[in-house]
Amino acid sequence: MAPKPYKKFMEKQKKDKHHWARPFSNVWWLLLVLATYAIISFQFLPDQLSLKEGQYAPDNIYYFGSPVTYVSQEQTNEAKELVASEVGQVYTRDNLVVVDLHKQVDETFSNLYLIKSNVDLTEEEQIDQIREILGENVSEDAILYYLSASDLNVSKLITTIKEAIANAYSGDVLEEDLTDAINHTKEEIESENFLAAPESLMLNIVDMLPFRANKVVDQVATMNAVEQAIASVQPIQVSVNPGELIVRQGEVVTALDLEKLDALGLQKQAGKVRTHIGLLILVVLCYYLLRIYCTQLSKEMAKKQNNIAVLGVLLIVTLLI
């Protein structure tokens, strides 16, 4: 049996040994966490770039991960824009144009008749009031012809103007065709071989009529057609295989390239920081559970710090392989 002083000395040495091993164990666990995190982030998280649209690619960029298929919003949007541009404008026919012009002709001659039938007006006053209706360009001969014309001749003038208008609008008249429609109306009037005065009167009335297109764009129908065409476009999927060249060195980086890099996890994003934080937390949690097992559940392991060191080295080697 060992003397009491020697026994106390050995117990003191044993306590000092455990006291020294505890901080060493903490440092070792910290080194294991950092080494494991560094290996996983280096080997399993892809290298990331920081490219911008329009810049030249500094190097060839390849993809070496597993096959990936993703929906390309850029290509899908381009396809939608293409089909939308191919949708023609939808037109609608305005059949009231001729009716409204005929009403305007009747209204004009009704106003002229009120002046002509007003016995309280002198001829000069009648001429002045007619100029106010037809404009200053109307000739005095044309006005005098109207003031002296019979109702039958005036009726013939009205009929001639209306028929010329109806013939000019026999087909579709677009906004850009209005000048042709007006000229067609005048030419048909001139082809009737009236005398100069009545012909001038009719042409002057035609000049003041509010001609408009009888075939106009239906904005609502056009938008509906565009929306239907866009809705028919299916999402475009892009597949990327390992070893595929994503961006060639010296080429301008496009929006499609950036989208592909993002989909493959090769483009730096603000959200990637969360990935590294999450990985670090996961590694810490795994080693924390392992340490609980080694130090509390397995007393034999806790007594042998070398076993913990060997276990850590084995984990690191496994990750490196």
Side-chain angles (χ1 to χ4, degrees):
M1 184 173 181
K4 290 184 178 181
Y6 176 77
K7 185 176 181 180
K8 291 181 179 180
F9 174 77
M10 293 302 296
E11 289 177 354
K12 183 176 183 301
Q13 290 295 322
K14 189 174 182 180
K15 290 180 180 180
D16 292 341
K17 181 179 178 181
H18 287 298
H19 179 73
W20 173 84
R22 185 170 299 174
F24 172 79
S25 175
N26 293 335
V27 173
W28 179 248
W29 283 109
L30 178 61
L31 291 176
L32 283 179
V33 168
L34 295 177
T36 303
Y37 165 75
I39 293 172
I40 294 177
S41 62
F42 179 77
Q43 291 191 349
F44 297 96
L45 294 181
D47 295 334
Q48 294 184 331
L49 307 167
S50 182
L51 298 178
K52 295 181 180 180
E53 184 177 356
Q55 78 173 86
Y56 292 96
D59 298 295
N60 289 331
I61 302 174
Y62 293 90
Y63 174 66
F64 295 105
S66 58
V68 173
T69 299
Y70 67 95
V71 175
S72 175
Q73 293 297 332
E74 291 289 338
Q75 295 189 38
T76 302
N77 291 338
E78 287 181 0
K80 290 180 179 181
E81 291 177 1
L82 179 60
V83 298
S85 64
E86 293 176 347
V87 175
Q89 291 181 321
V90 180
Y91 290 88
T92 184
R93 184 70 181 265
D94 185 359
N95 295 319
L96 296 178
V97 173
V98 174
V99 175
D100 292 340
L101 290 174
H102 285 181
K103 288 181 179 180
Q104 189 66 38
V105 172
D106 291 335
E107 182 179 342
T108 300
F109 276 97
S110 295
N111 293 333
L112 295 178
Y113 179 76
L114 291 176
I115 297 172
K116 179 181 179 180
S117 61
N118 190 345
V119 295
D120 295 331
L121 298 176
T122 64
E123 185 177 271
E124 290 298 326
E125 290 174 336
Q126 290 177 330
I127 293 174
D128 291 339
Q129 291 189 17
I130 290 176
R131 285 189 187 279
E132 291 178 1
I133 296 175
L134 301 181
E136 295 296 329
N137 293 329
V138 63
S139 66
E140 188 171 337
D141 289 341
I143 297 175
L144 292 176
Y145 170 80
Y146 172 74
L147 292 176
S148 62
S150 64
D151 291 342
L152 181 61
N153 288 336
V154 172
S155 177
K156 187 175 182 180
L157 297 181
I158 296 174
T159 301
T160 301
I161 296 174
K162 288 183 176 180
E163 289 178 353
I165 292 172
N167 292 333
Y169 279 94
S170 59
D172 294 332
V173 177
L174 301 175
E175 193 71 30
E176 57 268 25
D177 300 329
L178 285 179
T179 301
D180 293 337
I182 296 172
N183 291 336
H184 185 279
T185 303
K186 290 182 176 182
E187 290 172 0
E188 185 162 334
I189 291 174
E190 291 171 348
S191 67
E192 295 294 329
N193 296 321
F194 279 89
L195 295 175
E199 180 180 288
S200 175
L201 178 65
M202 288 187 291
L203 294 178
N204 192 270
I205 292 175
V206 169
D207 284 333
M208 60 175 294
L209 292 177
F211 282 79
R212 69 176 190 270
N214 68 351
K215 186 177 181 181
V216 295
V217 177
D218 189 332
Q219 297 292 348
V220 175
T222 301
M223 289 301 300
N224 290 337
V226 170
E227 290 176 358
Q228 290 177 3
I230 291 176
S232 67
V233 177
Q234 298 298 321
I236 297 178
Q237 293 186 336
V238 177
S239 297
V240 184
N241 296 314
E244 183 173 329
L245 178 63
I246 307 303
V247 182
R248 190 178 300 277
Q249 182 181 8
E251 291 186 349
V252 177
V253 178
T254 65
L256 290 175
D257 295 330
L258 293 179
E259 180 187 50
K260 184 175 291 187
L261 292 172
D262 286 337
L264 300 176
L266 300 177
Q267 177 75 353
K268 283 186 178 179
Q269 298 178 357
K272 295 301 181 182
V273 176
R274 299 178 184 176
T275 303
H276 287 273
I277 294 176
L279 175 61
L280 181 59
I281 293 174
L282 179 62
V283 172
V284 171
L285 180 61
C286 290
Y287 274 111
Y288 176 73
L289 295 176
L290 180 61
R291 182 173 182 177
I292 290 177
Y293 171 78
C294 293
T295 58
Q296 297 184 17
L297 301 182
S298 178
K299 296 182 178 180
E300 293 297 326
M301 180 70 74
K303 294 178 180 178
K304 299 179 180 179
Q305 296 295 328
N306 290 337
N307 291 346
I308 299 177
V310 171
L311 178 62
V313 171
L314 290 176
L315 288 174
I316 298 297
V317 171
T318 302
L319 290 175
L320 288 174
I321 294 175

